[in-house]
Amino acid sequence: MTAVQFGELPFLQEDSGIWSCAYSPDGKELTLGLNNGDINVYSTLSWELVQTLNGHTNGVVRLAYSSRSDYIVTGSWDGTARLWKMESGTCIHTLSGHNGEVGGVAYSPLGDTVASTGHDCTLRVWDAGTGDCRFILIGHTRIVRGVAYSPKGDRIASGSNDSTIRLWNLETGMCLRTLSGHDEDIYGISYSPQGERLASGSLDMTVRIWDVETGDCCRVLTGHIGDIYTVAYSLQGDVIASAGGDNTVRIWDAETGACRQVLTGHSETIECVMFSPRGDHIACGSNDNTVRVWDVGSEGTRQFATGHRSGVYSAKYSPHGEQIASCSEDGSIRLMDAETGVSRCVLADHTNEVNSIAYSPQGDQLVSGSDDCTVKLWDVETGACRQTLTGHTDSILVVSYSPRGDQIASADRGGTLKLWDATTGACQQTLKDHTGAVVSVVYSPTGNQIASSSYDGTARVWRAESGVCVHTLSGHTGHVRSIAYSPKGDLLTSTSNDCTMRLWDVETGECRQILIGHTGGVWGVEYSPQGSQVAAGSDDGSVKIWDVGTRECLHTLTGHTEDLTFFEYSSNGNQIVSGSTDGQIRLWDVTSGQCRAVVEGINGSIISTAWSRTLDVDCFVAGYDDGNVRMWQVVEDGDACRLRLRWRTVNGELVLTDTLIQDVCGLSQLNKRLLKQRGAKGEPFDQLRDAGKKVVQMASVVSTLKQPSAGVIPESASTDNHPEQLENPEQQEQPEQLKKPEQQETPEHPEQPEMSEQPEQPEQPEQPGQQEQQEQLEQP
């Protein structure tokens, strides 16, 4: 069997060479331009082919998304650029005018124009709304290939076979500066996110980093042993990726110029490379007809989480404390052993982000709510989906079980609440009194009432049986972001963007007290287990602890340097754990208000935490925006304490070549086909038919290989814990390698102005990129 790499993401197999690729800015799609003229769009959630755009009659050399992900522009060797509407997959404009093949395209971040370069030595700027050519920029003396807009959209850069880069002012059309230094043709250019630097890749096998204000070359990056056809800055601007004729991708430190990593696996020239919007993945397309997706960890190491592929929105302990469930932006739910962190099963029936989960009081069921507008009930023992509850017409933001476990409440972004029978799945009530997104739903301790908070500025109290609204709690002057019952059930506390917290009498609906002190919106509230205190978390980065009886602020917990994302009381109420986008976890003593322990230096922001309610030792789990889940144990050491990592959901890397593996068990049908594709022989591979050409799902090979982590070394791991990528079989026939077009020289232009005006255009309609962007609801 040929080499297999653990830690590598799946590849996409096409029938034609991949000349261009681009992630949508929202990260939900990866679009490929092929040398047969097709444009294939894949969902990054399922890696299923979503649609194919047809129209070009030759290879698609470059493509680019609009900033809102609703349009793309493509450039082809058929001499045209095309503008497509992604929702319908229709071509709305064919941009013709280049005298020869189109070498590159770019979409303005403002959304009003697109640019194209050509073998006719020109750069054209087109109106994105009308498809008319606004002007032509002339100055290069040979084929123009690379093109990139500055982040502000006021400048554009072009790279040419004349070995120069030109920076243009889009308002005047004047060439501001010419950057010289490369010895050969320039194919790829990319602006840094801040717009202060520009990276370029050339056939001279170097990457150069330029200061766009002075025109000076800051660094020359060497290491490739072949032509460089593509370069890209990460979204954070800290690294640069380059690729080309040596079939490798190199990851460079943008500040020091050091090569952090070399990614290998392609068997032919790499034509395009692209960072995902989050910066954690790199996609590269090659003439070997595959797209490979790599997970790029910190400090040049490649890691792959055994858990989620993107942010963990929530983590919950089961009622008995033996299991942990986590839900994620990647659309999956994972059930893990609370002691070891080993994955028990993956619940993957949702087709979009999973925003909320809740265990039944008995612990035998789990309910989930998703952006796919469905509620699902799961058997936590088998992982089977028992029921799918439909009826919501908008993203479901929160789900909750009643204390008796006989009813489920769900609420969506459109303001609708639904009450469901937990046994039959029947919808009992639909509550539509809220006029804004409902972001919090809680049952009273007895289960006879439900409280909800909404972005319409109100909270409401409902009878759980009839769905009748008992009280409308009005008074906040901003979004009401959370609500909580006191343990006795006599008080409700709500928090708001108006920087206040309000205490309400449950029986009368009257406001008893307004608690003021935070300087930022208050987004979270929790009562201590004894009910004597209530804590609130704010956008000002602090947690405030209030005495419920006296209404006095006992402590203000400060120390985080960035936004606070989560906090929670320990099971005994003596401690609070808090997490932040600064990557820190802080443990606080409730009595003194002092910080007892800090964990820092972990990459990623903490999104959610949950304390263990049953383990003999104090432990909590934390979900991170990079998809990892970590369990921390509170270790007492006299008057001091520390936090010890018990386990985390991250694997190390393993590469196997010419290896004999015996007695492998637990392989899925997909894994068996993939291993057979790589040359695996013997039972259970002999009876399988050959795998299909498009391999678009993640797979695992061996289930017992896991990197040890602090505290516990699991004896075994789920077969879902080791996704990897398998290369094409060596015996599979490979397509003829793409040859770059001959560098057909164009006669040098005579003296002429930098910008050639087009005839006056008629009044133009509103551009696609100029539409007012709809306000996005903050993820609760």
Side-chain angles (χ1 to χ4, degrees), residues 105-122:
V105 292
Y107 218 117
S108 166
L110 305 178
D112 56 341
T113 62
V114 296
S116 63
T117 62
H119 286 212
D120 57 5
C121 310
T122 69

Side-chain angles (χ1 to χ4, degrees), residues 42 76 434 585 768:
Y42 288 88
S76 168
H434 282 297
I585 294 176

Side-chain angles (χ1 to χ4, degrees), residues 432-758:
K432 294 187 175 182
D433 290 11
H434 282 297
T435 58
V438 179
V439 293
S440 181
V441 174
V442 291
Y443 278 88
S444 64
T446 61
N448 62 336
Q449 285 185 346
I450 299 170
S452 59
S453 66
S454 169
Y455 274 19
D456 64 9
T458 70
R460 291 178 181 267
V461 181
W462 316 78
R463 287 197 180 96
E465 184 176 355
S466 63
V468 173
C469 181
V470 180
H471 301 299
T472 299
L473 312 181
S474 302
H476 284 294
T477 58
H479 298 162
V480 182
R481 298 173 68 177
S482 64
I483 194 163
Y485 276 97
S486 65
K488 294 181 180 179
D490 58 334
L491 288 176
L492 269 171
T493 301
S494 60
T495 65
S496 170
N497 276 1
D498 63 10
C499 307
T500 70
M501 182 164 62
R502 288 177 178 251
L503 272 61
W504 308 85
D505 187 293
V506 170
E507 185 175 349
T508 66
E510 295 178 353
C511 180
R512 287 190 181 180
Q513 188 77 37
I514 303 175
L515 305 181
I516 300 174
H518 281 294
T519 57
V522 188
W523 52 260
V525 60
E526 185 182 4
Y527 277 89
S528 65
Q530 298 80 12
S532 59
Q533 297 176 351
V534 64
S538 169
D539 290 335
D540 62 17
S542 72
V543 177
K544 285 183 177 288
I545 303 174
W546 304 81
D547 186 289
V548 174
T550 65
R551 314 292 202 264
E552 294 180 355
C553 181
L554 302 175
H555 303 293
T556 300
L557 313 181
T558 59
H560 287 293
T561 57
E562 295 182 17
D563 293 341
L564 193 71
T565 54
F566 216 89
F567 70 95
E568 188 178 8
Y569 273 99
S570 62
S571 55
N572 58 17
N574 294 334
Q575 301 177 104
I576 286 178
V577 64
S578 61
S580 167
T581 56
D582 62 11
Q584 292 183 353
I585 294 176
R586 288 180 172 262
L587 185 68
W588 309 87
D589 182 85
V590 169
T591 302
S592 66
Q594 297 298 309
C595 181
R596 303 192 67 207
V598 181
V599 174
E600 53 189 351
I602 302 293
N603 290 322
S605 302
I606 295 95
I607 300 178
S608 58
T609 58
W611 279 89
S612 167
R613 304 296 181 182
T614 58
L615 293 181
D616 295 335
V617 293
D618 280 339
C619 293
F620 61 87
V621 292
Y624 292 73
D625 63 356
D626 61 2
N628 292 330
V629 177
R630 292 176 171 89
M631 173 180 272
W632 300 92
Q633 177 183 341
V634 181
V635 179
E636 299 289 346
D637 185 11
D639 294 334
C641 78
R642 59 188 175 87
L643 296 176
R644 181 170 72 92
L645 180 65
R646 292 190 62 160
W647 54 258
R648 58 174 182 162
T649 57
V650 178
N651 278 346
E653 178 185 308
L654 178 64
V655 179
L656 303 178
T657 304
D658 298 327
T659 302
L660 174 64
I661 304 177
Q662 294 180 313
D663 301 324
V664 178
C665 60
L667 292 177
S668 68
Q669 288 295 106
L670 177 61
N671 290 336
K672 294 176 184 178
R673 290 193 176 97
L674 289 173
L675 286 174
K676 183 179 180 181
Q677 184 188 43
R678 295 302 303 279
K681 297 179 181 180
E683 204 282 328
F685 308 106
D686 293 342
Q687 305 302 318
L688 292 175
R689 293 174 295 176
D690 290 337
K693 287 189 175 181
K694 284 187 172 61
V695 180
V696 297
Q697 300 186 38
M698 310 186 81
S700 58
V701 179
V702 182
S703 64
T704 58
L705 301 172
K706 180 165 182 172
Q707 173 184 336
S709 55
V712 173
I713 302 177
E715 294 180 358
S716 62
S718 165
T719 55
D720 294 310
N721 284 353
H722 300 276
E724 92 293 341
Q725 176 179 352
L726 304 178
E727 298 177 14
N728 292 330
E730 293 182 351
Q731 65 268 28
Q732 181 176 345
E733 181 179 355
Q734 296 292 333
E736 182 180 355
Q737 179 176 349
L738 169 68
K739 295 180 180 180
K740 292 290 173 182
E742 295 182 6
Q743 299 172 2
Q744 299 173 351
E745 300 295 328
T746 301
E748 185 172 354
H749 290 280
E751 283 293 320
Q752 49 187 310
E754 298 288 331
M755 178 176 71
S756 175
E757 295 287 339
Q758 291 291 309

